[in-house]
Amino acid sequence: MADERPLATQADRDQFLRGEVRPLLESLAVAYYATTPPPEDIVGFLIETLLRTKNLPTPPEGALDEDEEIDAQDLQERIKDLKVQIEHLSSKRR
């Protein structure tokens, strides 16, 4: 991705989606549908395609270590809290 900056405005988010995310998803879709027969492991195929096309290092394999497990649990709790906030804000709009 171009740079690590916060997406401060809606225009920034729209530009990021149109300029970065959409082309990436389109290239992944083309790669998937161009493969005959279609791969059974879709997630694995998409990861391999990203690694190959973006020249990324292979991610670590295996189970999470203790610190990563704690981070994952904290992240799950944060996601739940944010979903509750979204639901609360959505109900206020109605």
Side-chain angles (χ1 to χ4, degrees):
M1 310 218 171
D3 50 78
E4 300 292 326
R5 60 183 164 76
L7 302 175
T9 65
Q10 184 63 39
D12 289 338
R13 286 187 281 278
D14 291 342
Q15 180 180 1
F16 177 73
L17 289 173
R18 275 188 254 118
E20 300 282 339
V21 176
R22 187 173 186 147
L24 176 65
L25 292 176
E26 287 174 352
S27 69
L28 289 173
V30 167
Y32 177 80
Y33 288 111
T35 304
T36 306
E40 289 184 27
D41 181 12
I42 297 170
V43 173
F45 174 80
L46 295 176
I47 291 171
E48 280 297 317
T49 302
L50 278 174
L51 293 176
R52 187 177 61 253
T53 58
K54 298 295 182 181
N55 296 322
L56 298 172
T58 305
E61 294 183 17
L64 299 176
D65 66 16
E66 187 175 328
D67 290 336
E68 291 172 330
E69 186 66 37
I70 291 170
D71 290 345
Q73 290 173 354
D74 290 344
L75 186 58
Q76 289 297 328
E77 289 175 21
R78 180 76 176 129
I79 290 170
K80 287 179 187 176
D81 292 342
L82 290 172
K83 285 182 178 180
V84 168
Q85 289 178 7
I86 289 170
E87 194 62 37
H88 178 71
L89 291 172
S90 296
S91 66
K92 279 187 172 181
R93 287 186 176 178
R94 295 177 191 162

